[in-house]
Amino acid sequence: MSKVTRFAARDPGPAARLAGFLAHLRAQGLPLGVAETGMALTALAHVDAANPHEARLALRAVCTGSLEEAAQFDLLFDSFWMNGGRVREKIMPGTSAGGPKPGRNSRAAEEGRATGRGKADSPDDGQDGDSPADADGNGNGKLIASAIANLMKKDLRELVHADDIRAAELVALRLGRALRDRRSRRRRAARTGSAIDLRRTLRQSLQTGGEPLRLMRRRRPDRPLRICALCDVSGSMVIYARPFLAFLAGLMRADPDSDAYLFHTRLVRITGALRDDDPLRALGRITLLADGFGGGSRIGASLAQFARTYARRFVNGRTVVMILSDGYDSADPGDLGGALAELRQRGCRIIWLNPLKGWKDYAPVARGMAAALPHLDLFAAAATLNDLAALEKELARL
Amino acid sequence: MTDWKTLQSDLAEQGYVAGAELAMALHLSLALGRPLLLEGAAGVGKTEIAHCLAAVKGTNLIRLQCYEGLDAAQAIYEWNYQRQLLAIRAAAEAGETGRDVEKRIFSEEYLLQRPLLKAIRQPIAPVLLIDEIDRADEEFEAYLLEILSDFKISIPELGTLDAISRPYVVLTSNGTRDLSDALRRRCLFAHVDYPDRDTELAILARRCPGVERQLAGQIVSFVQSLRKEDLEKKPGVAEMLDFAMALLGFGINDLASDPVVLQVALATLLKTRNDRAAIPTEMAQRLAGRAA
């Protein structure tokens, strides 16, 4: 892994290589422009660029803007400069489709243009000095995973169609509107508004020698609720994954403030991936993120992790946490109750949408579900997009 | 020795032990003239680095603490209305004409400089610390972007004020909300994490030279193991230093020697009721025993 990539003799030089690296980062979804390429070159001039460690530190400071990106950067740096590229490039075929023009149909594009140099349909054969241990060590990739792991893998793009997403977008738009249309009871200072703000008008009149020339106004500000959706993709939920994932994708595209997560045995934030321009490519990116999709579920642990990490940043009194799950938890149900109670303390509202609830004679007997019930603001059935659409009225009442 | 290592050792002289990633980001931000965005948990020394940078550079530190509802009048400039009114009154009694008075009261003399304006009007480039930018509103963030990109402030009554010197800008964020992509793009980024054992020992040795080596090792091990526990609010470096000072004040030189004192001193590390409940006396003793 520590071997430095050997570039071809006809390679035009360091500047072009760096431009190539930035293009490589861009293709993997880092938001970098031409200005960053220039800045990266300047940055390298200020450090010992021949030292890989220094070059890595410098480029990371320039090219990344958040912790997630910084983590991603290290892998991408290795893959480009440190000759570790073949394995990693291949495990991200879905994201490499963004060529010069933004690809609208990732299916067609990805087959021809996947950037990995290895064989697309078989494990790497360990040539070029790549040790077999290396391939094993990175065994979370789609193409190098073992046969057993492959059974667990589902490509979400096979489950969800573009039409679904469009329909879901409409539903999400309506739900979002139902939640968002809130107005405060109090009035606050605003540029335009129905009432005159006497206090500020007087204060402003000081500037004009006591003449109230400018009238300040007040209005009721909007107090929109943000949706934060957590979708269960464990084995028992696979049949419902299609409407739910389409819904998440639609939600992300319809409402720029919303947030989405997947969980099975662990939790992944998919907000960034779902906002990809191409809806199908977005699902491709999630497939990679949701490694272990269709396996067991640990709802309690995932929610506790959510409450402790992301919720601190993104959940407040104006958030609706929407959990899409059937409540079958393989771990202790006490965890689930505790996690929800902790979440509750942040002042958010919690909705649980359970696909099983629509069944005749359903009772929330799954122990996890029973532990969760006292903490929920709304417990409703939802198995299809239509069910979700029907929630509009309920949400407006929250 | 390269430039960033020099900076790292300069910072160490000021009592700040910076990791390679942070030192490099800081060096580049100085070299490229870009703002530096620091993210990380509370209490890992994000604000402190601006103080130390100012000391290294031998300039002033100008600090803008952000909060919800921060507006231009508090962050950039405001006219000194009281003085203006007084000037108008005085002028009226002296019989001055309107034009002259107007010109006078809308001059820089009557302008109250708030941190952002102050930072660009210094003869020597200061360090501008914009603390907890995530607490400010998004509109303010947009305004800040404009100032950070061209270092000019236009005041309608006065015209555009150019920067006399370009401040070194450090922004910190605790991640209570997502910052805009535009702001992230404009800045260099470094994530400040809890320090590893050796770094934390070095910090403790710099900041509290009175702590003996054995106790210092115990304190750091204890705090680091506490961070691995399931706590609501993990103790940061600042808390660790408080803890060390508290123990020093009690005159203790072995962490496990007195359970009562340890429990009292824990008040400097655990700041919520749930966290206090999560670490009962026996557990604190066990951790302390392991640290010793």
Side-chain angles (χ1 to χ4, degrees), chain A residues 312, chain B residues 42-43 194 231-236 239 269-272 275:
Chain A
R312 297 239 166 115
Chain B
Y194 292 114
L231 295 178
E232 273 178 13
K233 167 116 191 33
K234 290 184 181 162
E239 276 88 358
L269 291 176
L270 304 173
K271 303 287 179 70
T272 73
D275 285 354

Side-chain angles (χ1 to χ4, degrees), chain A residues 88-109:
Chain A
R88 291 211 169 83
E89 278 178 33
K90 274 188 308 166
I91 64 170
M92 301 185 184
T95 55
S96 57
K101 64 166 194 281
R104 286 294 133 186
N105 186 344
S106 58
R107 271 228 142 198

Side-chain angles (χ1 to χ4, degrees), chain A residues 97-376:
Chain A
K101 64 166 194 281
R104 286 294 133 186
N105 186 344
S106 58
R107 271 228 142 198
E110 129 198 353
E111 262 137 40
R113 266 198 278 149
T115 48
R117 281 168 292 167
K119 286 173 234 159
D121 50 0
S122 65
D124 233 18
D125 43 16
Q127 284 174 358
D128 302 277
D130 218 21
S131 67
D134 191 1
D136 289 340
N138 298 305
N140 54 357
K142 190 170 161 193
L143 303 168
I144 48 177
S146 68
I148 301 156
N150 258 331
L151 294 177
M152 304 283 286
K153 294 255 148 53
K154 300 245 171 14
D155 192 336
L156 298 180
R157 283 167 300 183
E158 285 162 19
L159 283 170
V160 184
H161 298 291
D163 296 341
D164 284 353
I165 296 179
R166 245 165 271 135
E169 221 168 303
L170 287 177
V171 173
L173 209 60
R174 281 173 47 200
L175 285 187
R177 214 175 286 146
L179 281 175
R180 220 168 312 135
D181 199 14
R182 297 297 154 95
R183 298 179 93 199
S184 170
R185 286 174 206 285
R186 298 185 190 85
R187 291 176 201 277
R188 281 186 104 182
R191 205 158 289 158
T192 57
S194 51
I196 287 180
D197 187 345
L198 209 56
R199 204 178 177 151
R200 277 205 311 150
T201 308
L202 277 178
R203 169 86 176 118
Q204 285 283 331
S205 74
L206 281 184
Q207 296 179 46
T208 48
E211 301 288 336
L213 287 186
R214 260 187 286 170
L215 292 183
M216 310 311 279
R217 294 181 174 275
R218 305 201 301 166
R219 74 188 297 179
R220 294 209 165 119
D222 288 333
R223 293 268 181 265
L225 289 174
R226 292 177 61 233
I227 302 183
C228 196
L230 292 108
C231 183
D232 187 350
V233 286
S234 59
S236 55
M237 287 287 290
V238 164
I239 38 174
Y240 305 106
R242 178 171 164 178
F244 284 176
L245 286 170
F247 173 68
L248 286 191
L251 184 67
M252 287 300 110
R253 309 174 73 72
D255 181 359
D257 287 329
S258 55
D259 224 356
Y261 304 83
L262 289 187
F263 66 90
H264 33 86
T265 49
R266 59 200 175 82
L267 182 84
V268 216
R269 183 164 190 233
I270 52 169
T271 309
L274 274 180
R275 293 243 159 83
D276 201 306
D277 288 341
D278 180 348
L280 281 177
R281 196 169 68 201
L283 289 171
R285 284 175 68 179
I286 301 174
T287 311
L288 295 169
L289 285 171
D291 175 32
F293 174 49
S297 64
R298 289 175 54 218
I299 306 180
S302 300
L303 285 181
Q305 190 195 342
F306 174 71
R308 227 156 276 152
T309 52
Y310 296 108
R312 297 239 166 115
R313 289 166 62 187
F314 301 116
V315 173
N316 56 21
R318 290 184 195 140
T319 313
V320 174
V321 177
M322 188 185 270
I323 301 166
L324 305 161
S325 167
D326 56 7
Y328 284 126
D329 195 347
S330 50
D332 180 16
D335 292 357
L336 179 58
L340 285 176
E342 200 177 334
L343 210 54
R344 220 36 236 254
Q345 280 197 338
R346 302 200 61 82
C348 60
R349 266 150 272 198
I350 305 179
I351 313 179
W352 191 303
L353 302 180
N354 190 332
L356 306 183
K357 203 195 169 203
W359 290 11
K360 214 174 77 175
D361 299 333
Y362 171 78
V365 286
R367 285 189 306 153
M369 211 55 247
L373 270 183
H375 303 287
L376 303 182

Side-chain angles (χ1 to χ4, degrees), chain A residues 31 36 39 42-43 46-47 54 57-58 60-62 64-67 203 206-207 209 269 308 312-314, chain B residues 2 4 20-21 24-25 27-28 31-32 34 39 78 81 85 175-178 184-185 188-189 191 230 232:
Chain A
E36 274 75 15
M39 195 155 78
T42 332
H46 287 281
V47 299
E54 285 198 18
L57 288 175
R60 182 162 57 197
V62 172
T64 66
S66 68
L67 189 57
R203 169 86 176 118
L206 281 184
Q207 296 179 46
R269 183 164 190 233
R308 227 156 276 152
R312 297 239 166 115
R313 289 166 62 187
F314 301 116
Chain B
T2 45
W4 68 276
E21 189 191 337
M24 174 62 91
H27 163 63
L28 283 178
L32 303 177
R34 287 279 177 143
E39 258 187 347
E78 193 171 23
Y81 302 126
L85 276 176
T176 51
R177 72 174 167 85
D178 257 351
R184 285 186 187 277
R185 264 201 60 197
L188 298 186
F189 171 79
H191 183 262
D230 185 16
E232 273 178 13

